[in-house]
Amino acid sequence: MQTTLTVNGQAHGLDLDPRTTLLDALRHHLELTGSKKGCDHGQCGACTVMVNGRRINACLTLLCMHDGDEVTTIEGLGGTGAPSALQEAFVREDGFQCGYCTPGQICSATAMLDEIAAGWPSHVTDDLETAPVASIGEISERMSGNLCRCSAYPNIVAAILKVAEARK
Amino acid sequence: MKAFDYIRAQGVEDAARQAAEGATFIAGGTNLLDLMKLEVMAPDRLVDINRLDLAGIEEEPEGGLRIGALVTNSDLANDARVRRDRPVLSRALLAGASGQLRNKATTGGNLLQRTRCLYFYDRDMACNKRRPGSGCAAQGGVNRILAILGTSEHCIATHPSDMAVAMLALGARVEIRTAAGETRLLALDDLYLLPGDRPDRETVLAPGDLITAVLLPPPAPGRQTYRKVRDRASYAFALVSVAGIVEMAGGRIARADLAFGGLAPKPWRDPRVEEALRGRQPSPDLFQAAADILLAEARGHGANDFKIPLARRTLVSVLQELTAEAQA
C-alpha cells in the first residue's frame, strides 16, 4: 500500500504490506529507532510519537492510515547537539534508569504540556472549566500511559514539572 | 497478524457498501488492531473510514449535541459544551484509557469496542464470544473483572466503555446509516444485545451499518458525576462505575438518571431504580432500597462476588454526593 507522509519534516513515500504498523515503518524502514517497541499493544507507551501534533501509540496504528500525516519522533525533537528542554531536564533530573521508555516518555510529555497549555482537563482536574495547571498530580495522571519498569517516576515527574514551571 | 486487504473509503456510501460486502471498518483502531495482532479478530478486508467527514461536534437548534462518529475521545472530553453542560461525559472519557489512546480512539469505535475478558483474548481458552459453542472458561476461572448482571450461562463478559455509560445516563441516541442508504436512530440502550445463547452477537448492527453520530438531548438540569472504581488510580478499566444525573426539587429527588459500567455485558440502566428514587426525600434507607432493586438479580461467579457490595456502596455514595446540597 502506497503511503506518503512527513516524518520530522522530511517527506517519505513507502509501499509496504498494509499490516505494517507506524512503529515498524519508523524503526525498520526509515531507520528511526528512537521510538521503542515495548508491549506492541498500546499499553506501555514506549512507542509514543506525535501525529499532526498529537501523541499516539505508534504500535496501535497502521502506516497506511497515515497518508498525508505529519509525524514527529524523538529524533525530531532534538539531539545531543541541541537537546529539547525536556531532554535536558530528563538528564539533569535523572529521569530514567535503563532508558528504554525514555523516548516515549519525552514525546508523550512534549505533547502533554501542549495539552495543558491548550486547557485540556484531566481526570484529576477539580474544575472542568478552569485552565489546568501542571502539578505532580496532573503530570502523573496525564503520563499514566507511559510505563517505566525501572520505576523512575519521581524523577520523570520532576523533570517534566521543571520544564512546565520554566514555561510559565 | 493475518494478511488483509486495505481500502480507503471514498465516502460514507462507499464505506457502507464495502462493509456490506464483508469488509470491517477501521477508525482509531486502538482495539481492533490489538485484537488483530492476537488473531482474536482476523478480517479479510479493512475499510479505513478515518477520512470521512464525521469528526464534527454540532449544536442542534433545540440545544442537543450531534457528535460525529469520528470525534476522538480527547476532542469530545475537551469540548467546551460537554465540559460545561454534560460534565458526566467529560469525566467518563477522562477516566478512561490514556492520553495517547484518547487521541486516537473515536466515538463510534468506543461504543463498539470488545470486552477485555481474559478468556476472549486468549485463543487457547474456551470462549463462546470468540468461538461460538466452545464454552466459557471464565466461569470457574479468573473472573474478577467480569459481570454480575445481564449474564447468561454462555457468557459473563463486561462491556468495557466508560463513555457509553455516561452517554446512556444522558439519554443518547445513535445515528446509523444502513447499507441501503437509510438513516435510522436508535436509543443507545437498544444498540446492544445481552449475550443469551449468542454472546458473539453484541449489537443489532447489520453488515454495512455505519454509526455516523451520537445524538445527545439538550442539557438536563441537575448535578452530574461519574464515579469509577478500579484497581489502579489511572489507566485501568472499571470494576464498577456509576454515571449519575440527579435533579432535586423542594428537598426531593425530581429525577435520577443512572447508568452503570463494569457490571454487565452492556452499559447498564435499570428504570426501576430511577422510579424508586423519584419524588422521594434522600435518605440512607432510600439509597439502600435503590441498591436492593439494582442488585436483586445480581449473581457473582466467585472472584467477582465483591462487585455486588462494591456496586451497592458506589451507588449509595454517588447518590449521597448528588443529593448532598439539598440535604444540607
Side-chain angles (χ1 to χ4, degrees), chain A residues 1 5 17 38 60 63 72-73 81 92 111 120 135-136 145 160 163:
Chain A
M1 188 73 198
L5 76 174
D17 186 307
L60 268 196
L63 169 70
T72 305
T73 68
R92 190 162 301 154
W120 292 18
S135 63
I136 290 172
I160 299 169
V163 173

Side-chain angles (χ1 to χ4, degrees), chain B residues 4 35 68 93 255:
Chain B
F4 55 85
L35 291 165
L93 284 157
R255 182 178 166 155

Side-chain angles (χ1 to χ4, degrees), chain B residues 1 5 15 57 70 97 114 120 128 145 174 177 188 196-197 214 227 233 259 285 294 315:
Chain B
M1 204 188 295
D5 292 328
I57 306 175
L70 292 175
R114 312 295 302 274
F120 176 68
N128 287 320
I145 64 170
V174 180
R177 191 199 182 278
L188 178 57
D197 58 1
V214 171
R227 185 81 61 87
D285 286 348
L294 173 72
L315 173 60

Side-chain angles (χ1 to χ4, degrees), chain A residues 9-67:
Chain A
Q10 208 179 327
H12 294 276
L14 292 167
D15 189 8
L16 299 173
D17 186 307
R19 284 176 287 186
T20 314
T21 62
L22 177 60
L23 177 63
D24 285 343
L26 292 169
R27 289 181 54 82
H28 300 313
H29 299 278
L30 298 177
E31 293 176 7
L32 293 166
T33 53
S35 307
K36 296 293 187 274
K37 186 182 282 191
C39 69
D40 208 23
H41 285 277
Q43 296 173 5
C44 76
C47 66
T48 304
V49 300
M50 283 175 276
V51 173
N52 303 329
R54 291 198 175 180
R55 54 177 171 159
I56 67 164
N57 299 115
C59 76
L60 268 196
T61 192
L62 300 171
L63 169 70
C64 53
M65 293 161 68
H66 292 284
D67 196 49

